[in-house]
Amino acid sequence: MLGLNRKDTTLLIVVFLLTMLAPFLLNPFPADSAMAQFNAGYPDLMQRFVIFGIFAVGFNILFGLTGYLSFGHAAFLGVGSYAAVWMFKLFTFNVVPAIAAAVVVAGLFSVLIGYVSLRRSGIYFSILTLAFAQMSFALAYSVLSNPKFNLTNGETGLQVYADDPQIFAVAGSPNLPHLFGLSMRSTYTMDVGAWSFDFNAGYYLCAVIMLVVFYLSVRLFRSPFGMMLRAIKSNQQRLNYTGLNSRPYTLAAFVISGMYAGLAGGLLAAMDPLAGAERMQWTASGEVVLMTILGGAGTLIGPVLGAGFIKYFENIFSKINDNVLHSWFAFLPDGMEDFMVTIIHPFVGKGWHLTLGLLFMLVVIFLPGGLVEGGQRIARLFKRNTTQTPGNDPEHHPKPSPHVAE
Amino acid sequence: MGILEVKNVNKRFGGLQALGNVNLSVQENTVHAIIGPNGAGKSTLLNCLVGKLIPDTGSVMFDGQSVLGRKPHEINQMGISRVFQTPEIFGDLTVMENVLIPCFARRDGAFRMHAFESVQHEKSLNEQAEEILVDMNMIEKRDMHAASLSRGDKRRLEMAMCLVQQPRLLLLDEPTAGMARADTNNTIELLKEIKEKRDITMAIIEHDMHVVFSLAERITVLAQGTPLVEDTPENIKGHPKVQEAYLGQAH
Ligand SMILES: Nc1ncnc2c1ncn2[C@@H]1O[C@H](COP(=O)(O)OP(=O)(O)O)[C@@H](O)[C@H]1O
Ligand SMILES: [Mg+2]
């Protein structure tokens, strides 16, 4: 179907169902129960899941497929956000031109950065991208924000003001990002018994776009172009001696992943019309690296899983404070209760990074192929129990290759 | 004029003169062997032909055009393919994909963006790739990862990758090293067959004299970076200088 083989079609259908049914799947606990804080089915977080999924899927084309580890991809995300907010300010709150501009501007920007950075590979490439991203951050944070020429509005961040021109604004349309009149914030809440599910217009727009670009990435993985990218990761020298010029291939991969990042940035702005320089900081670039490795670099679905995993931690674990902990352990005797709270305290709330760090270490050490490898191992265990097929055929489990091209 | 003309090529690595005034003329549609002890500069010479190294002085002409200053992919597109001394293959890709890539390179040139087609839908390229794998007796290994092949198989895969491009000049750097006797004989037969089927020039570096004398029409003996003699296999066999410099040591 859609030019994909059976396995990929199945994967696409599963991803389609998961994203469409996410409002149900992410809210498994009744709204008033003690477990409700583990519910992730609220619009803001669901939007982040798919937006950062897009970011990671694009990053994976460069890193997972081609073996070039960029430490500066947040720059493209940030540029996308700025471009989108400028479209809001100058023309209209309709998200279509804003998202298109985000992709185009990030694409152009990545041609520039890619052209220079791709003259080197390995660690030097990573450092070059990091340097470019930090320069972009500095430009956005201070240089391009002065009274004479204010492109980014510095520390405050770029936002839409009442006196902005918005020359194409249609009378009567919402004074917030909208899709031909449908506000991105409009949410329909469905109450079923004790449960409550939110269906948000912005989320569904992001989800549909995510499905489209995920489909495109599957096609790309299976295309001759994708094969060349994997060949670059495997042995760039051989590719050159086979008559292929690796430079345009790596640049194309870089620009495509830059456009994915720009799209993600544009969508962030479309959900909340604001763009700040912190979106371009190196921590943001590092986050997408973590997402991709955690989920499984070079796999199709891994980056989406990794993005969801990290965003879930960031939003859910960070909200667990001591009061919540006390309510969980209230059934214990007082001394024990305090003891448990003291032990768990450093790992939740502001300490969620600690938990994430530990999990990341566990994954990298025990599951070098990321969460996808974990899933495959479980599936294999399950298969062996039912069909007794020998699963240790070395042919089909080649040793994992290093993440970075030499 | 040969198809490949190497004139006065010098290459130094620090204090080591790896190539000293090398002259070599390979005639079109012949098999030309280059022999010599380890460290004689044979691989260095090939590196100068494919753009991996740039000679300090001298010229390298292929079919009347200079190869110096061109990038490796440009030299390959001129019609020169090389099998390396240590196999250079795409270890993470399947055997079939390894052979498909040169098929694409031959049809599409140095870069073409097919981002949304499927590799499987390129029927004629898949047929070409399968054909060469059948010729190489590797078709049953088509879905294996190249990294998991034996050393001999890696070498034969690399040879398949070069042959499927139908190069005008094929450079082979010790193609049978690490192969079992039977595979060596197969390789000799295969190269002979290809030679009969179509126009191809081969420059082959080899230690195995059985291979050299089965294939070569001309032989150049290299010692310490300088050609000692160049002659027919019959004359080389009896040449006293060669016996002393090379053949004597090999046995
Ligand atoms: N890239 C290099 N840097 C320094 N020395 C080199 C390099 N390549 C080859 N050499 C040296 O040049 C000499 C010739 O090497 P090579 O051409 O590999 O010999 P062979 O005839 O065995 O293929 C050797 O002494 C080798 O150590
Ligand atoms: Mg050598």
Side-chain angles (χ1 to χ4, degrees), chain B residues 12 31 64 72 92 106 109 115 162 168 209 211 217 237:
Chain B
R12 296 190 78 90
V31 179
D92 302 327
R106 176 158 164 254
C162 289
R168 296 181 60 201
M209 287 305 127
V211 178
E217 291 151 75
K237 262 183 202 166

Side-chain angles (χ1 to χ4, degrees), chain A residues 222-243:
Chain A
R222 305 295 182 226
S223 72
F225 177 67
M227 182 169 75
M228 297 307 175
L229 297 185
R230 285 186 292 128
I232 287 173
K233 180 176 176 180
S234 181
N235 188 345
Q236 186 159 348
Q237 172 149 299
R238 179 26 100 190
L239 196 78
N240 294 144
Y241 291 112
T242 307

Side-chain angles (χ1 to χ4, degrees), chain B residues 13 16 18 37-45 53 85:
Chain B
F13 295 117
L16 177 82
N38 276 329
K42 306 182 296 294
S43 299
T44 305
L45 178 60
L53 288 176
Q85 190 168 354

Side-chain angles (χ1 to χ4, degrees), chain B residues 62-88:
Chain B
F62 175 70
D63 198 22
Q65 288 183 300
S66 175
V67 307
L68 300 184
R70 288 180 203 252
K71 301 222 173 73
H73 69 267
E74 293 166 338
I75 295 173
N76 177 277
Q77 293 280 349
M78 289 169 82
I80 304 181
S81 290
R82 175 180 181 184
V83 174
F84 284 79
Q85 190 168 354
T86 42
E88 291 279 353

Side-chain angles (χ1 to χ4, degrees), chain A residues 216 219-220 222-225 228 230-231 234-235 237-238 240-245 248-249 256 395 398 401, chain B residues 50 52 72-73 76-77 82 88-92 97 101 105 109-112 114-117 119 144 158 165:
Chain A
L216 292 179
R219 289 296 297 264
L220 193 143
R222 305 295 182 226
S223 72
F225 177 67
M228 297 307 175
R230 285 186 292 128
S234 181
N235 188 345
Q237 172 149 299
R238 179 26 100 190
N240 294 144
Y241 291 112
T242 307
L244 290 156
N245 187 0
Y249 283 100
I256 291 172
E395 277 175 40
S401 57
Chain B
V50 298
K52 191 170 184 180
H73 69 267
N76 177 277
Q77 293 280 349
R82 175 180 181 184
E88 291 279 353
I89 53 174
F90 304 112
D92 302 327
E97 287 171 328
I101 287 175
F111 172 71
R112 197 167 140 195
H114 300 280
F116 298 108
E117 284 117 83
V119 176
M144 276 174 75
E158 196 183 2
Q165 289 197 302

